[in-house]
Amino acid sequence: MGANSSPRRRPGEAGGAHALRLRFEQALGELTGRDVGVDGLDAASVSVLDEELARLFGGADDRGADGARGDDGRTFAALNRVLVFYGVGPVRPGFFAHYLAGAFGGLDAFEAAVERYQTDAIRLFATFGEAFRTMNGAADLAAVLRPIAKRSLDGYAQRAPWRLSGEVHDQHLTDLGYLSAAAVRQEEGERAALRAHLDDLAATVRAEGREALWRVPAARRDRIDSLLRKFKAPLRDRLFVPLFAPDADEIEREARTIAPKSAAELARMEETQQTALRNLASYLTADALDVYVATSMRTEADFVSVNEFVRALFASPHVAPLHLRYFNPTQSWIDDRIAKGLVEALMLKRATVTVYMAQKSDTFGKDSEASVALGQGKPVIVYVPKLHVPAVELDSDALSRLERPRLVQLLTAEGAAQGQEVDTGVDEEQLRRRILQARLARASDAALVETVRRVWADFGLYDEAHQLETDDEREHYRAWLDAVVNQGLDAAPAPAVRAAVVAVLTNVTAVFEKRARVFREVHPLALQVILSSGVLNGMLVVRSVESCAAMLVALLANDLPLVLQKDAHNCRLIERTTGSTIRVITRHRLLRQAFEAHAAGTAPQPQ
């Protein structure tokens, strides 16, 4: 009978012996990755087995002063006698010494030893059955365990510091989103025509409302759409779509962006692209690549968000002394799109760790990069931004982890502070949103300005103007962002703008908190099969630059704090600080057997 089953006691069996045997069988099944039991043994054999188990775990003659077994040699032999009853091959001396020596002072100690073994096994093998066969049968167990052994970081720190030939600063990053400066020169006529069209449309919308867009002649509309698509303008998919049509201010902003470049702008663009091209040469010839940053960049906010994150991460006091080689996509450029893809593929192949920047929405390319890294057996850290406003004790990640009773308590307190009654009969997500909004609403103007200046790029605040109801509200909202973000002014927002900013921050924060939960629990990329071993490899979800830095260092040192969690369906290895699942072995019998047959490449191949 299997280790996970509950067999009836045989007639005449002593209750204590029966209970001891069942619990031992459960632990032995966890150790060997197979169902074990005494079905098929006669009563006399079972009686002898019970005596052997009693001596193995309870023999006072072999117990030391501390309660542990006193003679590992006798214990080793006794264990192997017991295993014969279950048809399990003998435990080898090296395996016993590493995992089971001193583990027979009682069943608690034995179960703890089995769990220590499983914590290692789940990192290396697709099933515990495969793990036991390989680890127990290894002539050199240390060699099998070497991939998960702790590593010294001295080798990183002893390398010479690594620098790019030049840095592209935030205000020029969008120059790298274009084709070559020479190509932009050739587009001058079309860009001028498109700007004229957009300026004209903006003036018409201001005078007649957005409905005027539906009256644009089809031929002109098609021409404008074609040019917007050619220049990959953000408005290309919605300028003439009633549900998503832009307001006049947004059209004017797009016109300024798409306008022909001046001679000075073209010269600067050419210089910026040359700097990034030289950086690309540095990336391609680097002696090593430790970290690849996977992201997507379509807007100015994306470029700034990525560059600020990468700069802060590798300047961290935990990371900077390691002299890591890392690929920052905002500092590299090449004109040919195919070559760009090949560069990223090479960087991904060479990198030891991939950092995946989760944005409000992701792209197939970025998801594919994370999937490829996981499939190679490499760790992937997912960074999901959060909202942190210390002035009002707001940390959206901490809030997202609270249970309903505490959320109700916090929301009730917020209502009492404002002299208002609150409805706590909503679901947990709505409770969190209301707490977020209440705390942001009582933040000072200075705290709100500081928060917006810090998160505008990560949260893509300019793109969120569509949340506002009227064209005037959207225009005033963007103008205030310009003052705070671009001009560096500590401008207090007007009441209507303040309400809009609070609402936008609340909504975007809710999106990021949902994304973090999805990545930790149900994202399609959350677990990927390592192609070489069949092991299920999971992501590590972090919520700040500081936690990302600590996680990166722990990964390089192979020193993650790990805990094994078991339920009726799976054994999961959890990274303790983030709660992320990084390895899984299923308890589903057929699925487990399928992994044994197929995932490790043991199934017969077609001829």
Side-chain angles (χ1 to χ4, degrees), residues 59-92:
D61 56 323
D62 288 339
R63 194 180 299 277
D66 61 355
R69 303 299 292 168
D71 186 331
D72 281 337
R74 289 200 299 272
T75 305
F76 173 72
L79 173 62
N80 279 330
R81 287 197 302 273
V82 166
L83 295 183
V84 174
F85 287 91
Y86 294 104
V88 174
V91 168
R92 306 301 175 113

Short mmCIF file of all heavy atoms in Angstrom, two decimals, residues 59-92:
data_model
loop_
_atom_site.label_atom_id
_atom_site.label_comp_id
_atom_site.label_asym_id
_atom_site.label_seq_id
_atom_site.Cartn_x
_atom_site.Cartn_y
_atom_site.Cartn_z
N GLY A 59 15.56 2.25 20.47
CA GLY A 59 16.44 1.38 21.25
C GLY A 59 17.29 2.19 22.21
O GLY A 59 18.19 2.91 21.82
N ALA A 60 17.02 2.03 23.54
CA ALA A 60 17.76 2.82 24.53
C ALA A 60 19.24 2.46 24.56
O ALA A 60 20.08 3.29 24.90
CB ALA A 60 17.15 2.59 25.91
N ASP A 61 19.56 1.20 24.15
CA ASP A 61 20.96 0.80 24.20
C ASP A 61 21.82 1.56 23.22
O ASP A 61 23.04 1.66 23.40
CB ASP A 61 21.08 -0.71 23.91
CG ASP A 61 20.45 -1.08 22.59
OD1 ASP A 61 19.39 -0.50 22.24
OD2 ASP A 61 20.99 -1.96 21.91
N ASP A 62 21.21 2.13 22.16
CA ASP A 62 22.00 2.85 21.16
C ASP A 62 21.86 4.37 21.27
O ASP A 62 22.37 5.10 20.45
CB ASP A 62 21.55 2.44 19.74
CG ASP A 62 22.01 1.03 19.40
OD1 ASP A 62 22.95 0.57 20.04
OD2 ASP A 62 21.37 0.42 18.51
N ARG A 63 21.15 4.88 22.30
CA ARG A 63 20.87 6.31 22.36
C ARG A 63 21.93 7.04 23.18
O ARG A 63 22.30 6.60 24.26
CB ARG A 63 19.49 6.52 22.98
CG ARG A 63 18.94 7.92 22.79
CD ARG A 63 17.57 8.04 23.44
NE ARG A 63 16.61 7.13 22.85
CZ ARG A 63 15.93 7.36 21.74
NH1 ARG A 63 16.12 8.49 21.11
NH2 ARG A 63 15.09 6.48 21.26
N GLY A 64 22.43 8.12 22.64
CA GLY A 64 23.44 8.90 23.35
C GLY A 64 22.81 9.78 24.42
O GLY A 64 21.59 9.83 24.59
N ALA A 65 23.65 10.51 25.13
CA ALA A 65 23.17 11.35 26.22
C ALA A 65 22.24 12.45 25.74
O ALA A 65 21.37 12.91 26.47
CB ALA A 65 24.37 11.97 26.96
N ASP A 66 22.41 12.88 24.48
CA ASP A 66 21.56 13.94 23.95
C ASP A 66 20.29 13.41 23.29
O ASP A 66 19.52 14.16 22.70
CB ASP A 66 22.34 14.78 22.93
CG ASP A 66 22.82 13.97 21.74
OD1 ASP A 66 22.63 12.75 21.75
OD2 ASP A 66 23.40 14.59 20.81
N GLY A 67 20.08 12.11 23.37
CA GLY A 67 18.86 11.54 22.79
C GLY A 67 19.03 11.08 21.37
O GLY A 67 18.13 10.46 20.81
N ALA A 68 20.16 11.39 20.71
CA ALA A 68 20.38 10.96 19.32
C ALA A 68 20.93 9.55 19.30
O ALA A 68 21.42 9.03 20.30
CB ALA A 68 21.37 11.92 18.64
N ARG A 69 20.83 8.90 18.16
CA ARG A 69 21.40 7.56 18.05
C ARG A 69 22.90 7.64 18.25
O ARG A 69 23.58 8.51 17.70
CB ARG A 69 21.09 6.98 16.67
CG ARG A 69 19.62 6.92 16.34
CD ARG A 69 18.82 6.05 17.29
NE ARG A 69 19.20 4.64 17.15
CZ ARG A 69 18.83 3.70 18.00
NH1 ARG A 69 18.13 4.00 19.06
NH2 ARG A 69 19.19 2.45 17.78
N GLY A 70 23.42 6.69 18.97
CA GLY A 70 24.82 6.80 19.36
C GLY A 70 25.79 6.18 18.38
O GLY A 70 26.97 6.49 18.41
N ASP A 71 25.35 5.28 17.54
CA ASP A 71 26.27 4.56 16.66
C ASP A 71 25.70 4.59 15.25
O ASP A 71 24.80 3.82 14.92
CB ASP A 71 26.43 3.12 17.15
CG ASP A 71 27.50 2.36 16.35
OD1 ASP A 71 27.69 2.70 15.17
OD2 ASP A 71 28.11 1.44 16.91
N ASP A 72 26.24 5.48 14.42
CA ASP A 72 25.71 5.61 13.07
C ASP A 72 25.96 4.36 12.26
O ASP A 72 25.22 4.06 11.32
CB ASP A 72 26.32 6.83 12.38
CG ASP A 72 25.67 8.12 12.84
OD1 ASP A 72 24.52 8.06 13.31
OD2 ASP A 72 26.32 9.18 12.73
N GLY A 73 27.02 3.61 12.57
CA GLY A 73 27.27 2.37 11.85
C GLY A 73 26.16 1.36 12.07
O GLY A 73 25.67 0.74 11.13
N ARG A 74 25.76 1.14 13.34
CA ARG A 74 24.67 0.21 13.62
C ARG A 74 23.35 0.73 13.06
O ARG A 74 22.54 -0.01 12.54
CB ARG A 74 24.56 -0.02 15.13
CG ARG A 74 25.70 -0.85 15.72
CD ARG A 74 25.31 -1.46 17.05
NE ARG A 74 25.00 -0.45 18.05
CZ ARG A 74 25.89 0.12 18.85
NH1 ARG A 74 27.18 -0.19 18.75
NH2 ARG A 74 25.52 1.00 19.76
N THR A 75 23.15 2.06 13.17
CA THR A 75 21.91 2.65 12.64
C THR A 75 21.84 2.50 11.13
O THR A 75 20.78 2.19 10.57
CB THR A 75 21.83 4.15 13.01
OG1 THR A 75 21.96 4.28 14.43
CG2 THR A 75 20.51 4.74 12.57
N PHE A 76 22.96 2.72 10.46
CA PHE A 76 23.03 2.56 9.01
C PHE A 76 22.63 1.14 8.60
O PHE A 76 21.81 0.93 7.70
CB PHE A 76 24.45 2.89 8.55
CG PHE A 76 24.72 2.61 7.10
CD1 PHE A 76 24.18 3.42 6.11
CD2 PHE A 76 25.51 1.53 6.71
CE1 PHE A 76 24.42 3.17 4.77
CE2 PHE A 76 25.77 1.28 5.37
CZ PHE A 76 25.22 2.10 4.39
N ALA A 77 23.17 0.16 9.28
CA ALA A 77 22.84 -1.23 8.96
C ALA A 77 21.38 -1.53 9.28
O ALA A 77 20.69 -2.22 8.50
CB ALA A 77 23.76 -2.17 9.75
N ALA A 78 20.88 -1.01 10.42
CA ALA A 78 19.49 -1.26 10.80
C ALA A 78 18.53 -0.65 9.78
O ALA A 78 17.51 -1.25 9.43
CB ALA A 78 19.23 -0.68 12.19
N LEU A 79 18.84 0.57 9.32
CA LEU A 79 17.98 1.21 8.32
C LEU A 79 17.92 0.37 7.05
O LEU A 79 16.85 0.15 6.48
CB LEU A 79 18.50 2.62 8.01
CG LEU A 79 17.79 3.34 6.85
CD1 LEU A 79 16.31 3.55 7.16
CD2 LEU A 79 18.47 4.66 6.54
N ASN A 80 19.05 -0.10 6.59
CA ASN A 80 19.06 -0.88 5.35
C ASN A 80 18.34 -2.21 5.51
O ASN A 80 17.76 -2.73 4.55
CB ASN A 80 20.48 -1.07 4.86
CG ASN A 80 21.00 0.16 4.10
OD1 ASN A 80 20.21 0.88 3.49
ND2 ASN A 80 22.29 0.41 4.16
N ARG A 81 18.36 -2.82 6.75
CA ARG A 81 17.55 -4.01 6.97
C ARG A 81 16.07 -3.68 6.81
O ARG A 81 15.30 -4.42 6.20
CB ARG A 81 17.81 -4.59 8.37
CG ARG A 81 19.16 -5.27 8.52
CD ARG A 81 19.20 -6.17 9.74
NE ARG A 81 18.90 -5.45 10.98
CZ ARG A 81 19.80 -4.81 11.72
NH1 ARG A 81 21.07 -4.76 11.32
NH2 ARG A 81 19.45 -4.21 12.84
N VAL A 82 15.66 -2.55 7.36
CA VAL A 82 14.26 -2.13 7.26
C VAL A 82 13.86 -1.91 5.80
O VAL A 82 12.77 -2.27 5.37
CB VAL A 82 14.03 -0.86 8.10
CG1 VAL A 82 12.69 -0.21 7.74
CG2 VAL A 82 14.08 -1.18 9.58
N LEU A 83 14.74 -1.30 5.02
CA LEU A 83 14.40 -0.98 3.62
C LEU A 83 14.13 -2.22 2.79
O LEU A 83 13.37 -2.18 1.82
CB LEU A 83 15.52 -0.15 2.99
CG LEU A 83 15.76 1.24 3.59
CD1 LEU A 83 16.85 1.97 2.82
CD2 LEU A 83 14.47 2.07 3.61
N VAL A 84 14.74 -3.35 3.17
CA VAL A 84 14.49 -4.59 2.44
C VAL A 84 13.02 -4.97 2.49
O VAL A 84 12.45 -5.46 1.51
CB VAL A 84 15.37 -5.73 3.01
CG1 VAL A 84 15.02 -7.07 2.35
CG2 VAL A 84 16.85 -5.42 2.80
N PHE A 85 12.36 -4.73 3.64
CA PHE A 85 10.95 -5.07 3.77
C PHE A 85 10.10 -4.30 2.75
O PHE A 85 9.02 -4.76 2.37
CB PHE A 85 10.46 -4.73 5.18
CG PHE A 85 10.96 -5.68 6.25
CD1 PHE A 85 12.14 -5.42 6.93
CD2 PHE A 85 10.24 -6.83 6.56
CE1 PHE A 85 12.59 -6.29 7.91
CE2 PHE A 85 10.69 -7.70 7.53
CZ PHE A 85 11.87 -7.44 8.22
N TYR A 86 10.57 -3.16 2.31
CA TYR A 86 9.79 -2.32 1.40
C TYR A 86 10.28 -2.42 -0.04
O TYR A 86 9.77 -1.71 -0.92
CB TYR A 86 9.87 -0.85 1.85
CG TYR A 86 9.20 -0.62 3.18
CD1 TYR A 86 9.95 -0.45 4.33
CD2 TYR A 86 7.81 -0.59 3.28
CE1 TYR A 86 9.34 -0.24 5.55
CE2 TYR A 86 7.19 -0.38 4.50
CZ TYR A 86 7.95 -0.21 5.63
OH TYR A 86 7.32 -0.02 6.84
N GLY A 87 11.26 -3.28 -0.30
CA GLY A 87 11.77 -3.41 -1.66
C GLY A 87 12.52 -2.19 -2.11
O GLY A 87 12.63 -1.93 -3.32
N VAL A 88 13.05 -1.42 -1.16
CA VAL A 88 13.83 -0.23 -1.48
C VAL A 88 15.30 -0.60 -1.38
O VAL A 88 15.74 -1.20 -0.39
CB VAL A 88 13.51 0.92 -0.51
CG1 VAL A 88 14.43 2.12 -0.76
CG2 VAL A 88 12.04 1.34 -0.65
N GLY A 89 16.07 -0.25 -2.40
CA GLY A 89 17.49 -0.55 -2.39
C GLY A 89 18.20 0.11 -1.23
O GLY A 89 17.69 1.09 -0.65
N PRO A 90 19.36 -0.35 -0.87
CA PRO A 90 20.05 0.17 0.30
C PRO A 90 20.47 1.63 0.13
O PRO A 90 20.79 2.08 -0.96
CB PRO A 90 21.27 -0.74 0.43
CG PRO A 90 21.50 -1.25 -0.96
CD PRO A 90 20.14 -1.41 -1.56
N VAL A 91 20.44 2.32 1.26
CA VAL A 91 20.99 3.67 1.30
C VAL A 91 22.51 3.56 1.32
O VAL A 91 23.08 2.76 2.05
CB VAL A 91 20.48 4.42 2.55
CG1 VAL A 91 21.25 5.71 2.75
CG2 VAL A 91 19.00 4.71 2.42
N ARG A 92 23.18 4.37 0.48
CA ARG A 92 24.64 4.32 0.38
C ARG A 92 25.27 5.14 1.50
O ARG A 92 24.67 6.10 2.01
CB ARG A 92 25.10 4.84 -0.97
CG ARG A 92 24.45 4.17 -2.16
CD ARG A 92 24.70 2.67 -2.19
NE ARG A 92 23.99 2.00 -3.25
CZ ARG A 92 24.57 1.42 -4.29
NH1 ARG A 92 25.89 1.44 -4.40
NH2 ARG A 92 23.83 0.81 -5.20
#
